[in-house]
Amino acid sequence: IPPVVRGVKSLLRDILGNSADDPFTVSATPRSDLPPAVEQQLVRSISEQLPQIAPLIGSSEQLEKFLDVARNSALLAMQREGTTRARKMEAKVRDDLRDAGWAAALDALLTNYTVYPFAVMKSPSPRMQSWKEWDRDRMVVRTAMVDTCENISPFDFGWAPNATSLDTAEYLWERRPIGADELLDMAGQDTYDTEMIDYIFEQLPNGYVEPYDDGADVSPTLDEQVAAVVERTEPSQVGYYDAVGLYGRIKGEYLREFGVSVDDPRRWYEAEVWTIKDIPFKVAINSDPLGARPFHLVSYDA
């Protein structure tokens, strides 16, 4: 990376330093209102105690004041509870971001932001992860699908022609290498097809690399007397698979063919499909309630 680019990245990191540590704020609304259930409970409680309260209230004006005080007290209690919950949620979000690798993803995003025409972050990005934890008196290793923040290389991401935004593009695509062990761990997870994963290993036992021009056929410009040319090892020789994911709208009747439950086969659903050499091993409807795609793009020129 040229020194000028490193300098720009350092400036951006300094500006976003605090945001990188805590890129969010969680606070209770200052204008809260009583939910209907709490309002009804308050009315019921006052009605039950009215025989004891009535002798102490001399007029309708005093009764109205009493009801206002009771309601304001309930509102104050709710605001205090909201503030307590907001603080706990802040700690929960901070822990989730740390576990998701937010800091490393942001640093990689800044590199791509200053070097390439655009940078992409994917979040949430489901990845198989393993970690150690204590099970009573012994340490065990857990493996599970975890939502992470992930920087995506601009060379591994693209969109449909004539797209104006990520959410309105006809489709988006992503390429990622998946290790054989990770692919095996995906079998049995929600939305992953175990039979198709077994079929991939049957057809491609040693891995698979998507054909693309990576410049390997271009003669090196290095002086071999100064720096020896390093021989490249194909990912397919070390048990890696190039998987291609597509995010876009798919007709319900086609989703049903892959065992996805849909309400109406005539409708088009925002879906996520992952394939290896055109063999689909994951077909699922977008889990976001609004169908938002898990990508965020920034461009230095924009």
Side-chain angles (χ1 to χ4, degrees):
I1 300 176
V4 173
V5 176
R6 287 199 190 97
V8 173
K9 179 183 175 181
S10 298
L11 289 173
L12 290 173
R13 189 189 288 114
D14 291 341
I15 294 171
L16 300 174
N18 294 331
S19 298
D21 295 334
D22 292 315
F24 64 93
T25 56
V26 180
S27 59
T29 174
R31 300 180 60 184
S32 62
D33 199 3
L34 291 179
V38 177
E39 189 97 38
Q40 293 174 4
Q41 183 179 357
L42 180 63
V43 171
R44 186 164 53 250
S45 178
I46 293 176
S47 300
E48 292 174 354
Q49 300 180 28
L50 194 58
Q52 292 81 17
I53 298 173
L56 304 176
I57 300 175
S59 63
S60 58
E61 289 81 3
Q62 290 179 333
L63 177 61
E64 189 173 340
K65 283 185 178 181
F66 173 80
L67 294 177
D68 286 341
V69 169
R71 192 174 190 281
N72 290 335
S73 297
L75 276 174
L76 182 60
M78 282 206 63
Q79 288 175 346
R80 289 174 177 170
E81 177 67 17
T83 300
T84 301
R85 293 190 179 189
R87 289 173 181 168
K88 292 180 179 179
M89 180 59 68
E90 203 168 271
K92 175 69 166 58
V93 173
R94 188 179 295 109
D95 290 343
D96 288 346
L97 285 175
R98 182 197 62 221
D99 296 340
W102 159 256
L106 179 62
D107 185 76
L109 181 80
L110 291 178
T111 298
N112 288 350
Y113 178 71
T114 53
V115 173
Y116 301 113
F118 66 91
V120 187
M121 181 179 287
K122 183 180 181 182
S123 180
S125 175
R127 298 300 300 265
M128 294 299 302
Q129 287 192 356
S130 300
W131 65 93
K132 294 184 289 187
E133 64 181 36
W134 286 101
D135 182 7
R136 296 185 178 179
D137 58 345
R138 64 191 184 95
M139 183 174 290
V140 296
V141 176
R142 308 288 188 192
T143 300
M145 191 72 71
V146 178
D147 286 334
T148 65
C149 299
E150 182 183 8
N151 175 71
I152 305 296
S153 169
F155 299 100
D156 293 333
F157 181 80
W159 50 82
N162 303 319
T164 57
S165 70
L166 295 185
D167 286 329
T168 60
E170 184 181 354
Y171 60 85
L172 308 174
W173 62 265
E174 174 196 357
R175 183 185 66 199
R176 72 162 61 223
I178 298 179
D181 294 340
E182 183 181 2
L183 191 60
L184 285 171
D185 290 337
M186 289 176 178
Q189 300 286 333
D190 290 341
T191 71
Y192 289 89
D193 193 321
T194 302
E195 293 184 4
M196 298 307 291
I197 291 177
D198 290 339
Y199 181 71
I200 290 172
F201 279 100
E202 179 184 330
Q203 297 296 315
L204 307 165
N206 299 318
Y208 172 74
V209 178
E210 279 289 327
Y212 60 93
D213 184 7
D214 60 357
D217 297 331
V218 179
S219 299
T221 57
L222 292 175
D223 186 349
E224 296 186 11
Q225 295 180 351
V226 178
V229 178
V230 179
E231 293 185 1
R232 188 183 62 167
T233 301
E234 291 288 347
S236 59
Q237 298 174 1
V238 291
Y240 274 87
Y241 296 83
D242 268 354
V244 177
L246 181 137
Y247 297 77
R249 291 167 59 79
I250 299 178
K251 199 172 183 179
E253 64 175 304
Y254 303 134
L255 292 173
R256 280 187 174 180
E257 293 179 6
F258 290 93
V260 179
S261 177
V262 297
D263 297 330
D264 190 337
R266 300 168 298 177
R267 290 185 179 275
W268 292 71
Y269 296 86
E270 182 65 32
E272 176 185 356
V273 179
W274 281 90
T275 65
I276 293 177
K277 200 179 181 181
D278 297 331
I279 303 173
F281 63 94
K282 176 180 180 179
V283 180
I285 293 178
N286 191 328
S287 59
D288 188 277
L290 298 178
R293 295 162 180 174
F295 298 99
H296 311 274
L297 185 146
V298 291
S299 173
Y300 192 81
D301 294 331

mmCIF file of all heavy atoms in Angstrom, residues 4 37 71 74 202 217 286:
data_model
loop_
_atom_site.group_PDB
_atom_site.id
_atom_site.type_symbol
_atom_site.label_atom_id
_atom_site.label_comp_id
_atom_site.label_asym_id
_atom_site.label_seq_id
_atom_site.Cartn_x
_atom_site.Cartn_y
_atom_site.Cartn_z
ATOM 1 N N VAL A 4 0.911 7.313 0.956
ATOM 2 C CA VAL A 4 -0.195 8.277 0.990
ATOM 3 C C VAL A 4 -1.487 7.588 1.414
ATOM 4 O O VAL A 4 -2.272 8.115 2.216
ATOM 5 C CB VAL A 4 -0.367 8.948 -0.390
ATOM 6 C CG1 VAL A 4 -1.615 9.814 -0.399
ATOM 7 C CG2 VAL A 4 0.853 9.776 -0.734
ATOM 8 N N ALA A 37 -51.522 -2.270 28.667
ATOM 9 C CA ALA A 37 -51.625 -3.255 29.744
ATOM 10 C C ALA A 37 -51.304 -2.629 31.099
ATOM 11 O O ALA A 37 -51.981 -2.888 32.107
ATOM 12 C CB ALA A 37 -50.682 -4.427 29.461
ATOM 13 N N ARG A 71 -50.391 8.403 37.903
ATOM 14 C CA ARG A 71 -49.952 8.110 36.534
ATOM 15 C C ARG A 71 -48.504 8.565 36.311
ATOM 16 O O ARG A 71 -47.703 7.864 35.690
ATOM 17 C CB ARG A 71 -50.882 8.784 35.530
ATOM 18 C CG ARG A 71 -50.685 8.313 34.110
ATOM 19 C CD ARG A 71 -51.740 8.909 33.179
ATOM 20 N NE ARG A 71 -51.678 8.279 31.874
ATOM 21 C CZ ARG A 71 -50.784 8.564 30.935
ATOM 22 N NH1 ARG A 71 -49.861 9.488 31.176
ATOM 23 N NH2 ARG A 71 -50.795 7.945 29.775
ATOM 24 N N ALA A 74 -46.128 6.159 37.862
ATOM 25 C CA ALA A 74 -45.958 4.967 37.037
ATOM 26 C C ALA A 74 -45.046 5.262 35.845
ATOM 27 O O ALA A 74 -44.197 4.443 35.472
ATOM 28 C CB ALA A 74 -47.316 4.465 36.563
ATOM 29 N N GLU A 202 -19.008 -36.008 -2.931
ATOM 30 C CA GLU A 202 -18.941 -37.154 -3.841
ATOM 31 C C GLU A 202 -18.415 -36.739 -5.210
ATOM 32 O O GLU A 202 -17.596 -37.436 -5.812
ATOM 33 C CB GLU A 202 -20.337 -37.769 -3.975
ATOM 34 C CG GLU A 202 -20.409 -38.954 -4.920
ATOM 35 C CD GLU A 202 -21.830 -39.474 -5.084
ATOM 36 O OE1 GLU A 202 -22.637 -39.344 -4.124
ATOM 37 O OE2 GLU A 202 -22.134 -39.998 -6.162
ATOM 38 N N ASP A 217 -1.297 -16.228 -15.375
ATOM 39 C CA ASP A 217 -0.647 -16.533 -16.646
ATOM 40 C C ASP A 217 0.236 -15.396 -17.147
ATOM 41 O O ASP A 217 0.924 -15.535 -18.168
ATOM 42 C CB ASP A 217 -1.701 -16.855 -17.706
ATOM 43 C CG ASP A 217 -2.501 -18.097 -17.351
ATOM 44 O OD1 ASP A 217 -1.941 -18.970 -16.664
ATOM 45 O OD2 ASP A 217 -3.680 -18.179 -17.748
ATOM 46 N N ASN A 286 -34.807 -14.879 2.794
ATOM 47 C CA ASN A 286 -34.099 -13.892 3.609
ATOM 48 C C ASN A 286 -34.745 -13.804 4.988
ATOM 49 O O ASN A 286 -35.960 -13.614 5.111
ATOM 50 C CB ASN A 286 -34.142 -12.525 2.913
ATOM 51 C CG ASN A 286 -33.202 -11.521 3.557
ATOM 52 O OD1 ASN A 286 -32.959 -11.552 4.758
ATOM 53 N ND2 ASN A 286 -32.677 -10.628 2.751
#
